[in-house]
Amino acid sequence: MKPNVHLSPDVAAALAAGNPVVALESTIITHGMPFPANYETAVDVEDVVRANGAVPATIAVIDGQLRAGLSDAELKALAASDGAVKASGRDLAVAMVKKATAGTTVSATMRIAAMAGIEIFATGGVGGVHRGAEDTFDISADLTELGRTATTVVCAGVKSILDIAKTLEYLETQRVPVIAYGTDDFPAFFTRTSGFKADHRLDSAEEIADAMRLHHALETGTGLMIANPIPEEAALEPAFIDGTIADAVREAEERKIARKDVTPFLLARINELSKGRSLKANIALVKNNAALAARIAAAYARAGKG
Ligand code: PSU
Ligand code: MN
C-alpha cells in the first residue's frame, strides 16, 4: 500500500478539480536560507504562485507525515526549527518511522509530489555533480530522481558550487531534457549564463506545457528540467560571485565537509561571504521560478481540460 500524502484542503480541492498546482520544496527553508528570510520567502513564493494562477503546495515531512500544502503556522515553525533534518528521497522512510520533521530536497519533493499527482515543481537550484566529483563521487540524488520521476522542475540552472559541465552530461545520461526558457544559454543561478548551452530553448509557458505532455506521452518516465534565468536586475556580477564561490568551496575542502552537509555549508558560507547579496539574488530567482511554474501549470491544466 502506498503511504498517504496528507494534502491541505486547497491543494486537495485543486487536484480533484484538475486545477493547476505547483509543488515547492522545503530544504531551501530548513537548510538553504537563514531565519526569518526563509519564512518570508516561503510565504512570498506561495503568493507568487497564486498570483500567477495556481495553488502552491509546499512539501515537507511534519512529525513523520508526508505533507503537501502547509498552514502558515506550520511554515513558520518549519522555518524557525533547529531540529528539522534534510531529507532526500532515500531518507523519507526513516523520517516517517522516527516521526521526524524534515525539509525535503528536490529529490524527496519530486517523489512526494508524484505520489500526490502534482506534476510541476518550482525551486531555486537543483543539486548536481559537485566539483571534484571524480574524487568524492558527490553527485546529488536530485539528478537520479529526475531520471526516474516524471516531474517538471523549474529552476534557475545550477550554481557553480557544482561542476556545471558534468551536471549537464549527467542529465543527458539520465535522459532528462534541459530546456532553457527564453534563452539559448544554460543559466548559472546567480548569473544568466554559464558558458554552456542548454539542450533546448522554448519561449512560452504554453510550449513548455506541450513539451511536458508529449514527453510523458512518449513514456520516457523521466522528469524535465526547465532552466529559467535570474531576472537581469537581480543577477550578480560573475567575477564577484565566482570568487566568493571559489572561497567557499576551498573552505569546505579544508574543513573536510562531506556528503549531505556540503551543499548547506556552501550556501550558508556564500551568503556570509557575499554579505547577503547572494541571499537577495536567491530570493528574486525563486520568485521568478514560481511565477513561471504557475504559468506552465495553468497552461498544462487548460490543455488537459481540452
Ligand atoms: N542548491 C541551491 N539551493 C538549495 C539546494 C541546492 O542553490 O536550497 C538544496 C535543494 O533542496 C537541493 C539540495 O535538492 O540542496 C541538494 O542537496 P545535495 O547537494 O546534498 O543533494
Ligand atoms: Mn551530495
Side-chain angles (χ1 to χ4, degrees):
M1 216 184 67
K2 279 212 170 142
N4 192 20
V5 179
H6 297 261
L7 307 176
S8 66
D10 54 340
V11 170
L15 287 172
N19 291 336
V21 177
V22 171
L24 301 165
E25 61 140 316
S26 49
T27 293
I28 190 171
I29 300 172
T30 57
H31 293 75
M33 290 183 186
F35 185 81
N38 58 351
Y39 168 67
E40 290 157 8
T41 304
V43 171
D44 288 351
V45 165
E46 290 199 347
D47 287 343
V48 168
V49 170
R50 286 189 199 94
N52 285 275
V55 171
T58 300
I59 289 183
V61 184
I62 308 281
D63 299 331
Q65 280 192 346
L66 309 184
R67 301 281 299 273
L70 303 182
S71 69
D72 183 60
E74 288 168 336
L75 207 54
K76 195 171 215 166
L78 191 67
S81 160
D82 288 330
V85 296
K86 170 184 168 187
S88 73
R90 69 172 191 160
D91 303 311
L92 290 174
V94 173
M96 293 169 79
V97 168
K98 289 191 161 174
K99 306 212 182 317
T101 291
T104 49
T105 67
V106 169
S107 75
T109 305
M110 287 177 73
R111 196 94 295 287
I112 296 169
M115 286 170 61
I118 304 169
E119 296 184 71
I120 300 166
F121 164 18
T123 184
V126 295
V129 181
H130 277 263
R131 295 195 202 172
E134 56 276 28
D135 296 318
T136 62
F137 276 38
D138 190 347
I139 300 173
S140 175
D142 293 352
L143 301 186
T144 39
E145 194 68 43
L146 274 161
R148 60 164 304 235
T149 297
T151 308
T152 297
V153 179
V154 180
C155 66
V158 300
K159 42 168 89 74
S160 57
I161 62 171
L162 302 172
D163 185 321
I164 297 177
K166 286 193 179 71
T167 300
L168 291 171
E169 284 293 345
Y170 202 85
L171 286 164
E172 183 171 332
T173 304
Q174 292 290 320
R175 305 168 301 121
V176 177
V178 176
I179 300 169
Y181 174 66
T183 173
D184 295 316
D185 294 316
F186 184 70
F189 199 87
F190 295 122
T191 55
R192 291 174 61 85
T193 58
S194 63
F196 299 95
K197 292 258 175 281
D199 301 315
H200 308 287
R201 167 185 182 151
L202 291 175
D203 291 326
S204 70
E206 288 72 21
E207 277 183 311
I208 294 172
D210 284 345
M212 278 178 65
R213 198 166 15 262
L214 290 167
H215 186 74
H216 301 325
L218 290 162
E219 297 187 359
T220 54
T222 74
L224 299 92
M225 180 187 282
I226 310 301
N228 184 29
I230 184 171
E232 195 99 55
E233 64 280 7
L236 301 179
E237 311 85 75
F240 163 74
I241 194 65
D242 288 350
T244 304
I245 287 172
D247 291 344
V249 169
R250 203 173 315 114
E251 215 175 295
E253 279 166 16
E254 281 162 12
R255 293 174 59 174
K256 305 219 183 318
I257 310 285
R259 298 169 65 192
K260 69 193 290 181
D261 298 330
V262 173
T263 299
F265 173 85
L266 290 174
L267 298 179
R269 207 56 197 118
I270 291 165
N271 183 37
E272 285 163 11
L273 292 172
S274 73
K275 301 198 168 50
R277 288 180 65 195
S278 71
L279 178 61
K280 214 167 145 225
N282 200 343
I283 292 168
L285 67 83
V286 178
K287 291 185 193 169
N288 191 45
N289 294 345
L292 177 60
R295 292 196 291 114
I296 295 169
Y300 191 73
R302 262 198 308 278
K305 289 181 176 177

